[in-house]
Amino acid sequence: MAETMEDYKDELEHSFREVKEGDIIAGTVIGVSEEEVALDLKYYTQGIVKAEDWSNDPNFRIMEDVHPGDVVKATVKKTDDGNGNILLSKKEANDVLVWEKLNEYLDEKTELTVKIAGLVPSGVVAYLEGIRGFIPASQLSLSYVDVTDEWLGREVAVRVITVDESRKKLVMSAKVILKERQQEEYNRRIAMMAPGTVMEGTVESLMPYGAFVDLGDGISGLVHISQISHRRIGKPSEVLSQGQKVKVKILNTNDNKVSLSMKALEEEMVDTDRPREAEEYISHEKASTNLGDLLSKIKL
């Protein structure tokens, strides 16, 4: 089919649009060198981003981090760099657009991977979208990290937890993701616990309403006071003590909470130990003390 001018309408409109200093425009990477990146702007000339105008991240490596086909936004610094190209800065555009992006990450709870780039008192530094972010030592792991030296250069999965553009403040957390994964694993293990299963555990705490029993693998269950003993008790400490080994039966795992019973095992033991009723013996022979009957069975 023959091509017409209509087929090139968008390209023509782009090529004749006016580009001014300060504009933020999009382009596709068409060339990468140690000194600069060339962008196709769908314009009569190409755009050039110098390596030093690409990112604020000290770990940025132009030959490793930029690839042909990448689509980026950059700010026009000069409409002519002296060689007929448009001189651009991705860093300047990033400073304008990035906070909107960071707020999206915050609202959508996006999981991201960052590389620890520096150490500071009470935490570490990592760059996200070219912005310097802080990860407190309390948010690096499930427990507080006293020594952060070994974290330098490590990649970690994080979520954005604070974005404050006015103060240029970005805070991230790895702990929130680790806690979610820990909870998912906990829920998975509980889902595998079948009601009716008998387990052995250790009494870890006593409450007025019952006893919590440690079943291992980080799982605890509650034996309600009504399920501790067949006889009526006023408080769990009447029959249980902290650290005591007990056998329990799983009643249910509703809402990922394990309900246990000791009374159910007592009842089962009572049923098992109950003596069987004496069976009535029925003889099918005719009972007799007749001397003639006895003599009839003796062969002479």
Side-chain angles (χ1 to χ4, degrees):
M1 186 173 67
E3 296 178 337
T4 66
M5 291 296 290
E6 188 67 24
D7 296 320
Y8 296 96
K9 180 180 178 182
D10 291 341
E11 286 80 357
L12 287 168
E13 287 180 355
H14 274 92
S15 66
F16 287 113
R17 75 190 189 279
E18 184 180 3
V19 174
K20 304 185 298 296
E21 290 184 10
D23 286 353
I24 295 177
I25 57 178
T28 303
V29 175
I30 55 174
V32 185
S33 71
E34 290 286 357
E35 294 77 30
E36 61 188 29
V37 177
L39 301 180
D40 176 12
L41 305 174
K42 296 191 183 303
Y43 200 53
Y44 71 86
T45 188
Q46 66 182 10
I48 296 294
V49 182
K50 297 295 184 182
E52 61 269 21
D53 287 324
W54 190 271
S55 176
N56 288 313
D57 187 346
N59 292 315
F60 170 70
R61 300 290 180 269
I62 191 168
M63 297 301 293
E64 298 174 15
D65 300 335
V66 186
H67 309 94
D70 290 349
V71 177
V72 299
K73 290 184 178 180
T75 300
V76 177
K77 294 180 69 176
K78 291 182 180 180
T79 55
D80 190 336
D81 66 350
N83 295 309
N85 301 308
I86 297 175
L87 188 62
L88 303 164
S89 171
K90 185 176 179 295
K91 285 201 300 190
E92 287 185 22
N94 199 56
D95 289 342
V96 175
L97 301 172
V98 71
W99 294 99
E100 181 180 333
K101 187 68 174 177
L102 294 176
N103 273 302
E104 284 181 16
Y105 290 151
L106 176 66
D107 295 340
E108 296 173 9
K109 298 181 177 180
T110 307
E111 183 174 324
L112 306 150
T113 300
V114 297
K115 188 174 184 178
I116 307 302
L119 308 176
V120 293
S122 71
V124 300
V125 169
Y127 285 81
L128 179 60
E129 300 291 346
I131 298 298
R132 185 177 188 271
F134 175 58
I135 306 176
S138 61
Q139 296 296 318
L140 265 176
S141 183
L142 288 171
S143 56
Y144 188 88
V145 177
D146 290 312
V147 181
T148 57
D149 298 43
E150 63 184 32
W151 289 79
L152 190 62
R154 187 185 299 185
E155 289 191 345
V156 293
V158 297
R159 281 218 182 96
V160 174
I161 58 174
T162 302
V163 175
D164 188 339
E165 183 178 359
S166 63
R167 297 168 61 194
K168 303 300 180 187
K169 182 179 180 182
L170 169 64
V171 183
M172 296 171 283
S173 170
K175 184 176 182 177
V176 291
I177 294 176
L178 295 173
K179 286 186 72 173
E180 285 181 5
R181 291 176 180 169
Q182 184 184 58
Q183 185 64 46
E184 288 170 2
E185 177 59 20
Y186 178 82
N187 295 346
R188 186 191 67 81
R189 290 200 300 265
I190 287 182
M192 295 177 66
M193 300 175 73
T197 302
V198 176
M199 301 184 71
E200 185 172 296
T202 305
V203 177
E204 59 182 0
S205 62
L206 298 173
M207 299 293 177
Y209 52 84
F212 284 97
V213 177
D214 180 3
L215 300 172
D217 287 333
I219 298 176
S220 295
L222 174 66
V223 184
H224 190 268
I225 190 169
S226 64
Q227 292 295 325
I228 291 177
S229 177
H230 200 62
R231 65 184 179 85
R232 188 178 183 84
I233 59 173
K235 53 185 179 180
S237 58
E238 290 180 18
V239 293
L240 294 174
S241 58
Q242 194 169 346
Q244 180 179 342
K245 297 287 186 183
V246 293
K247 282 191 175 181
V248 291
K249 184 175 185 177
I250 298 173
L251 295 180
N252 63 69
T253 56
N254 298 337
D255 300 321
N256 290 318
K257 296 177 181 178
V258 183
S259 296
L260 305 170
S261 175
M262 294 171 62
K263 186 173 75 172
L265 290 178
E266 274 187 16
E267 292 171 350
E268 287 181 6
M269 289 178 65
V270 168
D271 289 340
T272 303
D273 295 342
R274 183 178 298 152
R276 295 182 180 179
E277 295 181 6
E279 296 181 5
E280 184 180 357
Y281 175 74
I282 301 174
S283 174
H284 296 288
E285 293 186 10
K286 189 183 293 182
S288 174
T289 55
N290 185 284
L291 181 58
D293 290 337
L294 292 174
L295 291 174
S296 67
K297 295 177 181 180
I298 299 175
K299 293 183 179 179
L300 298 176

